Amino acid sequence: MSKNTVSDRFRKVDVDEYDENKFVDEEEGGENQLGPDEAEVDSLIRQYPSLFTRNLMGALQAVLKNPPINTKNQNVKDRAEGLVLKVLSSFKSTDIEKGVQSLDKNGVDLLMKYIYKGFEQPSENSSAVLLQWHEKALSAGGVGCIVRVLTARKTV
Amino acid sequence: MSYHSFLLEPISCHAWNKDRTQIAMCPNNHEVHIYKKEGSNWNKIHVLKEHNGQVTGIDWAPESNRIVTCGTDRNAYVWTLKGDAWKPTLVILRINRAARCVKWSPKENKFAVGSGSRLISVCYFEQDNDWWVCKHIKKPIRSTILCLDWHPNNVLLAAGSCDFKCRIFSAYIKEVEEKPAPTAWGSKMPFGEVMFESTGTAGWVHGVCFSDSGNRVAWASHDSTVAVAEGGKTAVLTSETLPLLCVTFITENSLVAAGHDCYPVLFVYDSNKAALSFGGKLDVPKQSAQKGMTARERFQNLDKKATTDSKEAVLESLHKNSISQISILNGGKARCAKFCTTGMDGGMAIWDVKTLESAMKDLKIV
C-alpha cells in the first residue's frame, strides 16, 4: 500500500470556525446576574411561620427570582442550581403540587429549566425528587413548557 | 368539516386556484399534482414534472392563473396554462441552497422565494428581455427563511427565519411599481430595508401572516409560542402544546394556527390590552363509545403501560399527523368562512368557521 505523503494536518483544523457565515449569538450583558440570593433563600427555608410548617412557598418564590440566564460564569449557574435543588428537596411530596400551583407561567417554565439542569448532574436521590416535581410541572405547563426548555438558547 | 385523504405520504405544500375547484399539491416528491373536484371525487388532471428536487413551495395566483413552484433543486418555475397543459418557465434565483417557500405578491407582478442560502429572492418579469429576474434581500438574515407573507400594499414582505426572528422587509421594485404610501410600519421603504424585527420569542419562526389591513403581523415560533406585533408592541402567548407550524388571520382579531398537535387552534388578539389569548381547540372530537374495561384488561394495562387509563394511544383529531400548511378558502383574511389544512398524514381537511362556532360553545370569533 502506498503511504500518504501529503500533509494531513488540515484534518485538525476546525473549519467551522473560519466560516464567515457562522451564526454567532448576540452578546447580552449578563455580568450583573448573580442568581438567587443564597442568604435570603436559606432564611426562608428555616422560617417557621406557623407551628411545624416551614415557609417553603416563600423559599420557592425567592429561589426562582433572578435566574442567571445571561451570565457566562459557570460558578454562578452551578450555585443557583444547587440552591434550587435544596429548596425542591425540602418540600414534602404532598406539597409539591401546591408549590407548582403558586407559580405563574414564567415561573413554571423556569422551574422546568432548573429541573432538566438537575437531571444533567444527578446526585443521590436528586433524580427521584426532580421526577416528582417534573410530573407536577408537566401537568401545569404542558409539553409546551418542555419545548421551551429545549429551544432556549440561553438557559440556567 | 370534510376530510379527504389524498395520499399516504405527507403533502409538502398546496395551493388552490381562484374558484377553489382545483388544488395543486406536492406529494412529497419532485412533482406537482393538480386535482380537480368533480362531484364528490377528486381527480388528478395534471402532473407537473420539471423539478429535480422535492417541491417545497407552491403558490397559485388567482387573477393571472399562474402557478409558481420552488424546490430543493434551487430553482423556481412559473407555470402558465397553455390550452390544456401547464408550461414551465425557469426562473434563475441565484441561490446555492434549497428554496423553501414561495409567495405571489397581491398584485401578482412579483413573487418572493425564501431559501436556505440565507436570503430572499424577489422576482419580477422584465418585459424587454422576456425573462424573470430577481433581486436579493440579504442583510441581516442569518439563517434559512422558512415562511413568507406579503402585505396588501404589494411592497412589504414578512419573513420568518431560522435565526429566531420574524422581520418585515421592503421588497419595493421600482421597475414594476410606484412608490408606496406610508404604512403603519414606516414611510421610507427602499428595497431591502428592515421595517420591523421581532423580539420576545426564541425558536425558529415556522409561520408568519399579515392581517387583512396589514397593520398586524402574527408569527408562530418553535418554542411553542404565538406572537402578534402591531404598532411597536408585541403580544406573546406561550402555549402548552407542541410547536405550531402555520398561522393565519381569519378576522382582524382572530388567528387560527396548527402544527405538531394535529388540530387547529384559535387565538384571539385584543388590541386595547395588546394581549393574545387562547380561544379554543378547533376539532370535532370523535364520539368514541365507552367500553367497560374487564379486570384482565386493567391488569394488562398496568403491566404493559404502568397505567390504569383506558384511553388508547390513538389520536382523536381529524388529521392523524402534523398539520404543515393552512390556507384560506373564502372570505379572505378579514372574514374567513372556510379554511383548509394539509399535513404529514397526506390528508386535506376543509373547516367551516360557522359550523365550528356552533359546534363549540364558548368559541367566539371576534
Side-chain angles (χ1 to χ4, degrees):
Chain A
M1 296 286 281
S2 61
K3 183 169 169 354
N4 183 1
T5 49
V6 176
S7 165
D8 61 357
R9 237 181 310 153
F10 65 88
R11 294 193 196 281
K12 300 198 177 70
V13 172
D14 180 10
V15 288
D16 285 333
E17 288 295 315
Y18 298 102
D19 183 3
E20 61 206 17
N21 291 317
K22 183 175 179 223
F23 185 86
V24 175
D25 258 322
E26 285 150 17
E27 308 289 319
E28 260 178 74
E31 315 322 329
N32 299 327
Q33 287 193 330
L34 296 166
D37 189 357
E38 186 155 3
E40 187 188 349
V41 172
D42 273 340
S43 67
L44 281 167
I45 293 183
R46 278 186 265 278
Q47 228 183 41
Y48 281 88
S50 62
L51 210 55
F52 297 128
T53 56
R54 294 189 283 178
N55 188 6
L56 288 174
M57 298 294 188
L60 184 63
Q61 302 283 353
V63 86
L64 289 178
K65 270 200 288 218
N66 223 1
I69 291 186
N70 286 326
T71 183
K72 295 203 188 59
N73 189 344
Q74 196 52 41
N75 288 337
V76 175
K77 295 198 181 208
D78 290 341
R79 208 178 36 212
E81 176 62 32
L83 260 172
V84 172
L85 203 47
K86 198 155 82 163
V87 174
L88 295 186
S89 318
S90 8
F91 266 76
K92 271 206 303 264
S93 313
T94 41
D95 291 336
I96 292 181
E97 182 155 6
K98 270 201 300 248
V100 172
Q101 308 283 5
S102 72
L103 298 171
D104 63 346
K105 269 195 159 190
N106 290 337
V108 175
D109 283 348
L110 188 55
L111 176 66
M112 197 56 109
K113 287 203 172 97
Y114 276 119
I115 291 176
Y116 274 93
K117 186 90 200 294
F119 281 145
E120 285 172 33
Q121 282 139 358
S123 58
E124 36 171 287
N125 209 36
S126 71
S127 291
V129 160
L130 286 175
L131 273 171
Q132 286 178 314
W133 277 92
H134 185 276
E135 185 195 346
K136 299 289 180 254
L138 180 59
S139 54
V143 275
C145 181
I146 300 184
V147 174
R148 274 183 285 284
V149 173
L150 296 173
T151 56
R153 291 193 67 79
K154 294 194 174 71
T155 182
V156 290
Chain B
M1 248 68 57
S2 64
Y3 179 80
H4 183 264
S5 177
F6 276 101
L7 332 141
L8 291 172
E9 295 95 18
I11 295 181
S12 314
C13 46
H14 75 267
W16 290 90
N17 69 343
K18 180 173 180 182
D19 55 9
R20 311 312 191 202
T21 52
Q22 294 183 29
I23 181 171
M25 68 165 73
C26 169
N28 204 35
N29 59 13
H30 304 338
E31 304 168 350
V32 174
H33 294 186
I34 300 188
Y35 286 81
K36 185 174 175 147
K37 186 144 191 137
E38 266 139 21
S40 57
N41 297 334
W42 287 93
N43 299 326
K44 194 188 316 191
I45 52 170
H46 292 118
V47 174
L48 276 43
K49 282 195 236 245
E50 196 76 21
H51 277 281
N52 284 323
Q54 190 198 16
V55 180
T56 49
I58 306 182
D59 200 15
W60 199 322
E63 302 305 323
S64 50
N65 205 35
R66 289 179 295 189
I67 299 180
V68 62
T69 58
C70 71
T72 56
D73 59 353
R74 314 189 299 281
N75 289 334
Y77 291 94
V78 174
W79 303 79
T80 22
L81 190 62
K82 295 229 164 57
D84 205 20
W86 288 92
K87 293 277 182 280
T89 311
L90 173 67
V91 178
I92 306 275
L93 298 172
R94 296 185 283 128
I95 54 181
N96 53 10
R97 293 289 185 275
R100 278 297 255 113
C101 48
V102 65
K103 272 274 164 77
W104 280 109
S105 71
K107 293 209 184 86
E108 295 166 24
N109 49 7
K110 353 178 239 198
F111 61 87
V113 180
S115 67
S117 304
R118 291 180 300 273
L119 50 85
I120 304 175
S121 299
V122 181
C123 308
Y124 60 98
F125 195 66
E126 213 166 66
Q127 273 304 132
D128 315 330
N129 296 334
D130 195 23
W131 185 243
W132 288 90
V133 294
C134 75
K135 277 195 165 161
H136 285 168
I137 299 180
K138 261 187 106 88
K139 291 191 174 10
I141 304 171
R142 292 155 77 205
S143 191
T144 308
I145 297 285
L146 288 178
C147 51
L148 294 166
D149 193 32
W150 286 91
H151 185 284
N153 75 353
N154 210 55
V155 171
L156 296 179
L157 181 64
S161 165
C162 277
D163 62 2
F164 323 116
K165 299 238 178 270
C166 163
R167 299 184 180 88
I168 298 184
F169 291 99
S170 157
Y172 167 63
I173 307 265
K174 60 182 192 298
E175 283 89 344
V176 300
E177 57 200 348
E178 316 273 297
K179 251 192 153 155
T183 66
W185 302 102
S187 32
K188 285 193 97 46
M189 288 177 257
F191 181 81
E193 179 86 357
V194 180
M195 313 300 287
F196 166 78
E197 192 170 271
S198 72
T199 50
T201 55
W204 305 323
V205 179
H206 284 295
V208 73
C209 183
F210 268 112
S211 68
D212 187 54
S213 63
N215 294 330
R216 296 178 187 165
V217 68
W219 65 93
S221 183
H222 197 69
D223 60 349
S224 290
T225 58
V226 174
V228 174
E230 178 182 26
K233 287 186 290 205
T234 305
V236 178
L237 178 68
T238 54
S239 129
E240 290 172 4
T241 56
L242 291 174
L244 297 158
L245 290 175
C246 47
V247 65
T248 183
F249 275 91
I250 52 168
T251 66
E252 192 70 14
N253 295 318
S254 305
L255 312 139
V256 168
H260 289 294
D261 269 317
C262 321
Y263 52 77
V265 177
L266 176 73
F267 293 98
V268 181
Y269 177 69
D270 182 346
S271 52
N272 300 326
K273 289 188 279 194
L276 198 53
S277 58
F278 177 71
K281 179 175 146 173
L282 303 174
D283 203 0
V284 185
K286 243 184 358 202
Q287 302 297 338
S288 52
Q290 271 290 28
K291 318 181 292 199
M293 274 250 281
T294 64
R296 183 156 191 270
E297 277 171 13
R298 217 177 270 275
F299 276 111
Q300 259 187 338
N301 259 349
L302 199 56
D303 184 37
K304 269 195 288 192
K305 301 183 224 171
T307 168
T308 46
D309 246 332
S310 62
K311 219 169 32 161
E312 286 153 29
V314 166
L315 266 184
E316 289 182 350
S317 54
L318 204 52
H319 275 281
K320 296 302 175 204
N321 207 330
S322 312
I323 296 177
S324 53
Q325 193 176 343
I326 191 168
S327 56
I328 307 262
L329 284 183
N330 49 26
K333 286 190 213 163
R335 251 178 320 270
C336 172
K338 276 205 184 119
F339 60 89
C340 157
T341 52
T342 56
M344 313 254 264
D345 56 351
M348 171 200 71
I350 299 188
W351 307 80
D352 189 292
V353 170
K354 285 272 169 308
T355 320
L356 284 170
E357 257 184 311
S358 53
M360 272 147 236
K361 45 188 172 78
D362 306 334
L363 192 80
K364 257 197 311 224
I365 301 186
V366 298

